[in-house]
Structures are given as C-alpha cells and as structure tokens.
Amino acid sequence: MFIVVGVTGGIAAYKTVQLVRLLVKDGHDVHVVPTDDALRFVGMPTWEAISRNTVTTSVHDDVAQVRHVALGQQADLVVVAPATANTIAKMAAGLADDLLGTTLLATTAPVLIAPAMHTEMWRHPATQANIDTLTSRGVHMIGPVSGELTGGDSGPGRVSEPEDIYAAIRRELEQGAPGSAAAAGTRWLVTAGGTREPLDPVRYIGNRSSGRQGLEVARAAAARGADVTLVAVNMDPGLVRMTPETLPGAAEGSYASHESGIRILTASSTEELRDVVREEADQHDVVVMAAAVSDYRAADVAQDKMRKEDTGGALSIELVETPDILAEIAASRREGQTIVGFAAETPGEKTLAERAFAKRERKGCDLLAANEVGWDRGFERDDNHLLVVDEMGIVADVAGTKRETAEGLVTAILAR
Ligand SMILES: Cc1cc2nc3c(=O)[nH]c(=O)nc-3n(C[C@H](O)[C@H](O)[C@H](O)COP(=O)(O)O)c2cc1C
C-alpha cells in the first residue's frame, strides 16, 4: 500500500521513526512528509533512510512530478503522527501552505491523526472544536492517551504508542479486506502462551510456547473489526504490552489491560485458564484456543521448596491429567459459536493432516489449526506453518511469518 506519513513539530516525532519502520517492514511504500518544524526534532536523513524514499517538505520541490498533489492522489492512507495543535487547526481550516497541507487536501484516502500536545492545549476549546470538525469530516483519530508529557507533567495529550498507531492503520487498511464485514462486531476469545503447573513454590512444569502465534491471531481479528479478548498465559508482558490497570469484571487472580483495542486477561495454570475460559466463552462468538496447555500436573504440590538433601539422589513426581479445556468448551458451545483448537505436533509416522483430522474429531471443535513443532521449529521463532482443517478437509495451508499464518487462520474462520 502507498502510505503517506505526515510528521509535525513535537518531541513525539521520534516515535514516528518506529512507526515508519513497522510499516516498511510490512512491505508498504511509505512516503514521509514532515513539516519544517518536524525537521527540528528529527532530521531528513533519518526519514529518508528509514522510509527508503525521498523526503521533501516544500511544494516547490520536485515540481515536475506535481508532488504537491501527487502524493495525496496516490495515497491509500494518510496518517499524521504526531499531529500538533497547529497542524490540526490548519487541517480544520483547510490551509495548504506546505506539502503536508496540500497532500491532505488532495487526498480522498482515509486520514488518521495521532494528536500529541500538552493537556492544556488539548483541552482548549479551539483544539476541541477543530477535532470535532475533523472527525465530522471522517478523519479518524487514535489517542491521545493519558500519561507522562514532555516537561514531567502528566495528563491527556500523550501520543499513542507507535504499535497502537500501527494497529489502527492495519484496521483502517483491512476494512474491506476479505471477511472484514463478517468480522465487524463479532466477539473473539483468544488464548495464547503456555500454562505452568506448579511443583513447589519456585518450580513448575511448563512449555516453550511464547504466545506470539495467538497474539497475532488476536491482532488479525481486531484489525478486521472484531472485539477481541486475549487470555495471555504466562506471556512476556512486553510482548502484549500490558499496563497494570485492573478492569472491573476481570477473573480473580488475573488482571486486565489493553493492547491496541484488545482486552487482555491473564492466567497461569491450566486450572486458572479453565476458570477464565469458562467464565468468558459464552459471551464470545469465536473461541480460539491457541495457548499450549499442559496435559499433566503434579498430583500434590509441595508447600515448601523441594530440596536435594530430602530426596536422596532421585525424585519421583506423580503426575495426573489436567482437564481438557478445548473438549469441554466444544461440548458446551452454544448455537452459532465457532470453536477453534490448536495442535502442536512433532513429526511422526502419520502426516500432520492425519493427526489434525483425528484431533479435531476427538476434541469436537469446528476447526483445528495444526503446526509442526520441534527443537528447531514452531517455538521462539517468527515463522510458522499452519494447517487448518474442518470436518470436510483442509481449509487453509499457510506458511510464513506468524502474522501471515494468523491472517490465513482468521480468513478461514471468517469463511466459515
Ligand atoms: C520542544 C517543543 C516541543 C513541542 N511539542 C509540541 C507538541 O507536542 N504538540 C504541539 O501541538 N506543539 C508542540 N510544540 C509547538 C510546535 O512545534 C509549534 O506549534 C509548531 O508551530 C508546530 O508546527 P507544525 O504543526 O507545522 O509542525 C513544541 C515546541 C517545542 C519547541
């Protein structure tokens, strides 16, 4: 996609470097249009190097290409991040005294702004009136959020994080993508990560699942307009970017927060995950059980740390089976609900597809996404191979980044 990124004169301009990086990494053709003031914060060489395109600010540059309107005409999306109070006012008035101004007037593509300014400037009636004008014209807004501002004070006015702006861009671009009409307004529950079964206060039985694949499924569904609840099971808080705000209604022992419009709950053991899923499943149209759940737990959990001197050279731990959450949810699903299971399989005599068919039938879920795992595949990596089956056969076979495989799975779910 051809994406124009307008950058205006605030400290937060440095965060837009990361946004441009994410968009370029995604394969988009990114054209940065900074205001003159923006260049006092982050210089031209940075924008050119990171976007891999020539950067100009004046309507008098590159005149032969009629650049002052060409960028806007070609754009699939224009995002202004950060958007200063000044630029917001100029947009509301329709001023066109620089390349960003003419681009914004020349475009018919969706426009997304990420305002950033001090709380007083944000709350000023002039800024609020300008925001009302822009939103009434269909300009979309992400943020501002509440938080620490330049100068040490805090309040509403802080620019949204680059990853959140990136997610909003994805949502914008994917409106109209296959299945987005089917996804809009549906509620999805996605589990991700791996359970930990305690052995004693310091040790547990765990697995290598990072939760990346489940997180990408949550993001892909959210990007197509679904309301998503992610149950993060022992995931790295940095990966899901959890903030410690507790939402009312969160299951006891877990806490909730937001990432790019995704509601996040947490769980650790299979029992905790089961409680959260049971509590939540009914309110969701699609349940995707991507978390790797332990099949066994210790029959007895030691209350004190087990010590070598007490175990006499060897230790036996009795393990008992944990409940099968996927099978339970599939058995009790309500009319119209879609249940999706995951299977992580090491290569064996039977093919991945054979094992996927057998497991889907055993669990009673609608779709089953199987991936091959091993010492060197599946875990702690960015790429994956997912084979998705239903009662009729293979409905998707996608290899690529975990984001691409997530897109394939979400498309298969929506096709159903
Ligand atoms: C250090 C510094 C930080 C600034 N941060 C912001 C800001 O976050 N938001 C804002 O609206 N203006 C901010 N300003 C003021 C703008 O730079 C100023 O209004 C400028 O005219 C904006 O021009 P532009 O919208 O064409 O980029 C800041 C100014 C300075 C010197």
Side-chain angles (χ1 to χ4, degrees):
M1 294 279 184
F2 192 109
I3 299 180
V4 173
V5 179
V7 189
T8 67
I11 300 269
Y14 80 90
K15 291 192 173 181
T16 305
V17 175
Q18 167 69 354
L19 173 65
V20 172
R21 216 179 66 81
L22 290 170
L23 292 170
V24 170
K25 203 170 150 208
D26 241 9
H28 297 296
D29 185 13
V30 182
H31 295 262
V32 179
V33 183
T35 60
D36 284 336
D37 276 274
L39 293 177
R40 298 172 76 111
F41 294 87
V42 178
M44 194 81 92
T46 302
W47 298 122
E48 293 202 330
I50 212 89
S51 71
R52 299 177 199 161
N53 274 318
T54 324
V55 171
T56 53
T57 60
S58 161
V59 290
H60 302 293
D61 294 327
D62 219 358
V63 176
Q65 305 298 320
V66 207
R67 204 168 161 79
H68 72 288
V69 288
L71 284 174
Q73 287 168 338
Q74 278 174 271
D76 294 304
L77 180 106
V78 181
V79 55
V80 184
T84 55
N86 178 60
T87 291
I88 288 168
K90 284 173 65 176
M91 286 174 75
L95 294 187
D97 63 352
D98 60 7
L99 187 60
L100 181 58
T102 55
T103 302
L104 283 161
L105 285 185
T107 195
T108 52
V111 176
L112 182 72
I113 60 169
M117 65 201 74
H118 270 79
T119 306
E120 294 81 356
M121 292 172 76
W122 172 247
R123 288 197 173 137
H124 194 283
T127 304
Q128 288 305 308
N130 291 331
I131 290 289
D132 287 348
T133 302
L134 294 181
T135 49
S136 72
R137 286 185 197 146
V139 169
H140 291 180
M141 204 168 64
I142 166 119
V145 295
S146 220
E148 209 174 299
L149 304 165
T150 316
D153 46 346
S154 74
R158 187 182 156 92
V159 75
S160 292
E161 291 304 314
E163 290 81 0
D164 290 330
I165 302 174
Y166 167 75
I169 291 171
R170 267 184 73 182
R171 272 198 294 279
E172 202 67 57
L173 292 175
E174 282 175 31
Q175 272 172 21
S180 53
T186 58
R187 304 197 61 193
W188 292 47
L189 181 70
V190 181
T191 69
T195 56
R196 291 179 183 174
E197 308 306 322
L199 297 174
D200 69 14
V202 295
R203 303 182 181 96
Y204 57 83
I205 300 172
N207 60 68
R208 289 171 60 205
S209 178
S210 64
R212 262 187 218 134
Q213 183 65 80
L215 178 62
E216 290 302 339
V217 172
R219 285 175 172 160
R224 299 200 201 181
D227 289 335
V228 181
T229 301
L230 174 75
V231 188
V233 186
N234 302 305
M235 284 177 69
D236 175 357
L239 195 62
V240 279
R241 294 186 309 99
M242 299 197 290
T243 53
E245 69 187 294
T246 304
L247 286 186
E252 203 176 325
S254 55
Y255 70 98
S257 73
H258 286 86
E259 195 238 27
S260 311
I262 299 170
R263 173 176 170 246
I264 300 175
L265 304 174
T266 59
S268 181
S269 65
T270 303
E271 200 181 328
E272 278 176 26
L273 177 62
R274 183 192 196 203
D275 288 346
V276 177
V277 171
R278 277 180 156 187
E279 176 89 22
E280 292 286 325
D282 238 23
Q283 303 142 45
H284 291 84
D285 306 301
V286 180
V287 182
V288 183
M289 298 283 290
V293 180
S294 177
D295 290 333
Y296 299 96
R297 64 172 173 80
D300 297 301
V301 178
Q303 290 311 304
D304 296 311
K305 185 181 167 193
M306 293 181 280
R307 291 186 176 81
K308 271 185 176 175
E309 51 269 35
D310 302 331
T311 51
L315 172 67
S316 296
I317 299 171
E318 192 193 346
L319 300 178
V320 291
E321 273 188 17
T322 54
D324 190 331
I325 307 175
L326 175 59
E328 282 180 7
I329 291 295
S332 63
R333 70 166 160 297
R334 60 170 168 77
E335 183 82 15
Q337 204 175 27
T338 302
I339 309 290
V340 184
F342 259 74
E345 304 278 343
T346 46
E349 271 175 24
K350 286 188 176 155
T351 64
L352 187 62
E354 283 168 337
R355 278 173 294 163
F357 292 133
K359 188 155 186 178
R360 193 207 64 80
E361 213 163 311
R362 212 166 54 242
K363 302 284 182 179
C365 53
D366 300 294
L367 292 172
L368 190 112
N371 59 332
E372 237 161 45
V373 292
W375 296 112
D376 60 350
R377 67 184 81 174
F379 298 118
E380 296 144 12
R381 299 174 63 107
D382 275 340
D383 59 321
N384 204 7
H385 176 195
L386 273 192
L387 194 71
V388 187
V389 302
D390 70 2
E391 66 280 12
M392 308 290 284
I394 296 172
V395 292
D397 185 352
V398 222
T401 62
K402 284 186 175 167
R403 185 188 152 186
E404 287 162 346
T405 51
E407 295 283 356
L409 174 61
V410 168
T411 301
I413 295 170
L414 290 170
R416 210 182 152 85

